[in-house]
Amino acid sequence: MEEKTWNEEAKRPSAFKRAGRAVLRFFKKNEYIFSKIGFSLLTLALTTIFLFFLLRQIPGDIVDIYAQQLQYSRGLPYERAYELAVQLLNYNPNENIFAAFFRYVGGLLRGELGESYLQEGVSANLLIEQRLPWTLFISSVALFISFFLGVAIGGYVAQRRNGIANKIASGYIAVTGAIPDYLMALLMVTLFAYQLKIFPSQNNFDIFTVTPGFNIDFILNVLYHAALPILSSAIIQTGYWIMQMRGSCIGILGSDYIFSARARGLSERTIRKKYMNKNALLPLVASFGVAFGGLFGGSVLLESIFNYPGIGLEITARITSKDYVVVQGLVFFSAAMIIIVNLIVDLIYPLIDPRVKRG
Amino acid sequence: MEKTKNKSAFLTKTLEIFKKIGRGIKIFFTKMYSNKKSAIGFSIILLYVIVAIVGPLLFPYDSTVNTANKYLAPSLEHPFGTDWMGLDVFRQVISGTSSVLQVAFFTAFLSIALGTVLGILSGYVGGWVDRVIMTIVNIFLSVPSFPVYLMMAALFTIETPITMALMISIFSWAGLCRAIRVQVISLKESDFIQICRVMNMSTGHIIFKEIMPNLFSYIAVNFVLILRGSILASVGIMLVGLASYNPTDWGVIIQAARMRGLMNVNNVIIMLYPLVAILIFQIAALMLSQGLDETINPRLKVL
């Protein structure tokens, strides 16, 4: 009797074991997804530690300054104000390092990225809410323009490698590759805004002449102010995308299925549109995603040169005024966005190109 | 008697070493000048280095303010004119060359050293070492570098080119490390390394005598690219108004002119000199790296 049950158990493992195996199988099946997610979480955690240690370098008396400020503005006793300051800043210089770290992570988990100790009621969250749309507006428009131009020109040029178009494109790539975007911006702003005075040299729209909202005046004014920043970064980025697309296309053009398409007498235009572009775009989609992730931090120099009120300008302004807690929050936000967008690209990419998962 | 013999043997040995080095340099130069791009790029960068070393001796920078000759037009005495304080712009730019190049070269050496050592370690050893190093690399690639530079420049006092270079190389080694790792992994699987292993050669021999020569072209190209990137980063940091430890650094000159107001044409002209200097250096470095890639990268030759 006893032996029989033992045998049965050996044949059919307990429900617990079966569940465990099912979970293991599930993980093994989706190993790619879970390893990517795990790795991103690890990177995010280590990034947090890195930023935490950078934050620890802040001189200790800022909490004191902030506490005194709160004492005056809210009429609290000093001890109470100090407690509030520690809570708002997520930072206490007297704590040991572990307690401080848990406080910091706790604050981040609650979504409080950091309160300004110089300005009442200003926090990193508020700044992101206000500035992120503007940053995303100029940088994503520039990215989209340059990506589509680059893909179109790169594909066209790759098919005519001995033509004059390729020589012009090569020259353009070399020049734009050598000029950094912020020096281009500096040149543009000096020429068009300060000297010729065609375009404005600061702000995202004119506060005195237009009212924010969905009206034609406002939209035109915003575009007018965004034109120079978008133009200068699009000019530089287009060269990069042309180079990427041309390189990718040249690799594709050597493959057999393009030869067979040519042998069937298809026109170069059909080959480009129906055969070459699809495969050549695959690696570019990944780099496009990565580039898009980088937009959330804003380009610090570009925005400060144009005085465009985005996240980048906010970071520079806050660093110069020594508002480090807010800066740390903004940097954490942009790092987290880069990691998240990279993860999304990694997860979506196998759907577009199934070779990746197998390889 | 024996001592002199030893001495002469020593002398011949050192001479041989020098000859070897000389031959190496000769090969280096013939290779460099066999390609038009690398020849032009290398010559321009050499010119910059010479200006950085010799320039301050010939045209020492004089920081006495003399408002009587502010905004002078270019003349023989002041080839680039003078600025708002009556200082010679030409001498400022020349003095800034050495400051900028010091940062660039220190950064390039530091990050090449770090990136190569960790890249080879990660690629060759593999296993958990590889995983740890790659995780660290991933952090440095995903944290936006420029805001962190600014934060560090504000939190730590940066007063020498070396501290500036240390700060910039914190981020610039990561990409190189990842690339070197990929190269090492593909080399490790190649036949000649497998044969070396079967022949029971020491790991040191395999790394230094077999793998390193194959990586050399790659490292050389990246050295030039990091040179470029570090100039951009250091000038960018100074453009925001941080870490202006040297009043003649190109970034500081540009920033000062910008703060004076770009409505004034005189300031724009002052700003243009260091700007053009940076652009020429960038173009030269890009040409040199492309030329190097074409001349010493054996895989491109086959294509």
Side-chain angles (χ1 to χ4, degrees), chain B residues 19-91:
Chain B
K19 263 185 193 167
K20 241 185 188 173
I21 293 172
R23 225 176 297 142
I25 291 174
K26 206 179 164 190
I27 291 170
F28 177 74
F29 273 98
T30 43
K31 264 198 173 170
M32 202 66 98
Y33 284 97
S34 64
N35 184 305
K36 223 201 300 180
K37 270 187 196 167
S38 65
I40 296 170
F42 185 70
S43 311
I44 293 174
I45 288 178
L46 203 64
L47 187 74
Y48 269 76
V49 173
I50 291 170
V51 166
I53 295 167
V54 183
L57 300 174
L58 292 177
F59 305 99
Y61 170 64
D62 177 20
S63 63
T64 44
V65 179
N66 183 1
T67 37
N69 12 326
K70 67 172 181 185
Y71 294 132
L72 284 186
S75 62
L76 262 183
E77 202 185 339
H78 307 291
F80 291 172
T82 55
D83 67 358
W84 52 91
M85 292 190 292
L87 301 176
D88 189 296
V89 178
F90 178 66
R91 284 166 195 246

Side-chain angles (χ1 to χ4, degrees), chain B residues 175-188:
Chain B
L176 175 74
C177 179
R178 187 189 252 186
I180 293 251
R181 171 183 169 267
V182 174
Q183 300 266 322
V184 170
I185 285 176
S186 75
L187 277 173
K188 208 170 90 177

Side-chain angles (χ1 to χ4, degrees), chain A residues 39-326:
Chain A
F39 211 72
S40 310
L41 284 178
L42 189 64
T43 316
L44 194 61
L46 290 173
T47 308
T48 317
I49 294 173
F50 178 73
L51 283 175
F52 170 71
F53 278 105
L54 207 56
L55 194 66
R56 291 284 289 186
Q57 304 301 319
I58 295 176
D61 51 353
I62 59 157
V63 181
D64 198 47
I65 297 168
Y66 189 52
Q68 281 172 9
Q69 202 181 313
L70 285 177
Q71 199 181 355
Y72 281 114
S73 63
R74 301 199 185 174
L76 297 167
Y78 183 77
E79 285 78 23
R80 185 77 194 82
Y82 195 87
E83 261 174 46
L84 191 64
V86 164
Q87 198 189 343
L88 285 175
L89 293 179
N90 261 335
Y91 176 61
N92 187 352
N94 304 325
E95 266 173 346
N96 76 21
I97 200 157
F98 292 105
F101 182 67
F102 283 117
R103 179 191 292 282
Y104 177 69
V105 172
L108 291 182
L109 287 179
R110 265 177 276 127
E112 292 161 11
L113 296 177
E115 194 91 6
S116 165
Y117 59 88
L118 295 173
Q119 269 176 296
E120 182 84 52
V122 173
S123 66
N125 299 40
L126 183 78
L127 289 175
I128 288 168
E129 205 181 300
Q130 286 176 347
R131 308 297 191 198
L132 187 63
W134 295 107
T135 286
L136 275 187
F137 169 60
I138 57 165
S139 48
S140 62
V141 169
L143 181 62
F144 274 101
I145 290 176
S146 53
F147 182 75
F148 286 114
L149 266 180
V151 164
I153 297 172
Y156 179 85
V157 161
Q159 281 187 322
R160 295 166 182 73
R161 254 170 292 166
N162 298 321
I164 191 153
N166 189 24
K167 276 187 186 136
I168 295 170
S170 300
Y172 184 77
I173 292 168
V175 172
T176 52
I179 302 176
D181 57 352
Y182 64 83
L183 288 187
M184 186 74 191
L186 197 57
L187 285 173
M188 299 262 285
V189 84
T190 349
L191 183 63
F192 292 113
Y194 288 113
Q195 292 300 323
L196 298 177
K197 295 183 177 125
I198 303 173
F199 285 102
S201 65
Q202 55 189 350
N203 267 337
N204 44 0
F205 59 87
D206 215 335
I207 316 168
F208 302 112
T209 54
V210 293
T211 47
F214 196 76
N215 53 39
I216 196 82
D217 280 346
F218 176 70
I219 292 168
L220 282 179
N221 200 275
V222 164
L223 285 178
Y224 175 59
H225 280 79
L228 269 190
I230 289 175
L231 199 64
S232 60
S233 73
I235 287 175
I236 299 296
Q237 284 178 42
T238 307
Y240 170 78
W241 292 113
I242 293 177
M243 189 178 71
Q244 294 281 315
M245 184 66 184
R246 193 179 62 178
S248 175
C249 283
I250 288 173
I252 298 285
L253 280 175
S255 54
D256 292 338
Y257 78 100
I258 297 282
F259 280 122
S260 75
R262 282 223 180 97
R264 273 179 278 144
L266 296 175
S267 73
E268 288 292 311
R269 194 156 169 265
T270 324
I271 290 175
R272 181 167 78 238
K273 290 212 158 160
K274 299 247 155 128
Y275 290 75
M276 183 182 77
N277 275 0
K278 274 183 193 166
N279 273 327
L281 269 175
L282 289 176
L284 263 81
V285 169
S287 4
F288 181 80
V290 172
F292 192 78
L295 298 185
F296 286 85
S299 54
V300 174
L301 280 166
L302 202 75
E303 284 171 12
S304 65
I305 283 168
F306 286 110
N307 287 314
Y308 199 86
I311 286 191
L313 181 68
E314 208 59 59
I315 289 176
T316 16
R318 301 270 156 191
I319 282 174
T320 8
S321 65
K322 301 198 191 306
D323 203 346
Y324 301 119
V325 182
V326 172

